[in-house]
Amino acid sequence: MEDIGKYLRQWRSARTPLVAVTLTDVRGSTPREAGALMLVGENFLAGTVGGGALEHECVALARDMLRRHETLRAHEFVLGGNNISQCCGGRAYVRLERVTDALAFRLEQAIADEKKERPTLLMFGAGHVGRALAQTLSFLPVRLIWIDSRAAEFGAIPPDVDVRITGNWEAVLEEAPAGAGVLVLTPDHALDALIVEAALLRGDLAYVGLIGSLTKRRRFEASFRELGISEDRLDSLVCPIGNRGVRDKRPEVIAALVTAEVVERLLHSPLLKNEKKSASLLPESNEFFC
């Protein structure tokens, strides 16, 4: 979605004819969910409505509109019917609309609204795993806040990542909204324990993840029990993070595994089910691909 916003800003200067292709509704198994968006020019594409034959047909329709100077079309695709070579079995309803100032404004507003509704993820620690995670997490629809007191440790900072160079982690954690996530991977186990303790005591976070071994977890749990933290809060702690049966400690691999975990536990957290969300974040169906 953010790439779409960038290209819309460029369009305001260049005025190259574009068509916005939007999945307005879906039924059954489809390659993308309602709300998916793509911009199509004569020699240009940005975004995606799912690839495959559906996207190929949408691009062809959009470019035909550009050649005919049409402003609006609507189309229903039966995925598995005779009109498209894609056997998902669902239906996709598509709106194709030539980009104007008014449409560009609406799309930009929708992108801004979607960004405001993204769940917050606090990541404490800018070491080697933190740096790898910042890169992979930056692709997710989350508001990533990256915290460390060591300015030199951050390295290359991905776009739209909110960096906090501070040792006042308590204030950052306190201001996080309910339903946020927390990742703890500092170089100091005592600091790790303090942050995790405070996060668990909140009781309203969707995800609390701690880097480390099972031995580290057991030691932390013993200390937390002495402090009176309940068993259900302890059970909610994810440690080791990214524990998917893959024994590979390279930072890039850990980052990939933990990013998948964040998708499962934060983007699709039960704590967020009743909050207003963009359709592009939480599809109604469990069938993501066809």
Side-chain angles (χ1 to χ4, degrees), residues 60-259:
L61 288 173
R63 288 178 174 160
D64 187 57
M65 285 178 61
L66 291 173
R67 287 188 288 270
R68 295 173 183 270
H69 303 286
E70 294 181 21
T71 58
L72 181 67
R73 286 190 192 181
H75 197 86
E76 175 187 356
F77 291 96
V78 180
L79 307 181
N82 294 326
N83 67 334
I84 186 169
S85 178
Q86 194 161 353
C87 57
C88 304
R91 292 174 180 262
Y93 300 85
V94 179
R95 179 183 176 91
L96 302 98
E97 187 172 0
R98 193 180 180 105
V99 175
T100 62
D101 283 317
L103 177 58
F105 176 80
R106 292 199 304 273
L107 293 176
E108 288 169 335
Q109 188 61 54
I111 291 168
D113 291 344
E114 185 269 338
K115 289 185 72 173
K116 289 178 183 177
E117 294 170 357
R118 291 179 175 185
T120 296
L121 177 61
L122 308 182
M123 183 168 68
F124 295 92
H128 60 290
V129 175
R131 290 191 294 272
L133 267 166
Q135 299 298 323
T136 56
L137 291 170
S138 69
F139 291 105
L140 296 185
V142 299
R143 180 193 174 209
L144 179 60
I145 302 176
W146 192 11
I147 309 102
D148 201 304
S149 61
R150 305 165 297 164
E153 288 296 313
F154 287 94
I157 299 169
D160 294 324
V161 175
D162 182 356
V163 166
R164 308 285 180 90
I165 303 171
T166 179
N168 188 10
W169 60 266
E170 298 99 326
V172 182
L173 181 59
E174 184 177 346
E175 72 182 20
V182 170
L183 268 172
V184 183
L185 27 90
T186 82
D188 185 335
H189 284 203
L191 179 57
D192 284 353
L194 289 171
I195 298 171
V196 171
E197 175 194 348
L200 292 177
L201 285 172
R202 279 194 49 154
D204 63 351
L205 298 176
Y207 169 66
V208 180
L210 170 66
I211 197 167
S213 63
L214 286 173
T215 299
K216 181 177 179 179
R217 179 190 181 107
R218 293 187 187 104
R219 289 178 177 174
F220 276 35
E221 285 180 334
S223 299
F224 293 155
R225 287 190 183 97
E226 291 178 2
L227 294 169
I229 296 179
S230 64
E231 291 299 320
D232 64 319
R233 298 279 176 88
L234 295 179
D235 289 342
S236 70
L237 173 63
V238 179
C239 179
I241 52 174
N243 187 17
R244 309 174 79 85
V246 177
R247 294 188 176 276
D248 192 324
K249 296 184 180 181
R250 285 175 288 183
E252 298 82 1
V253 176
I254 295 172
L257 298 173
V258 175
T259 298

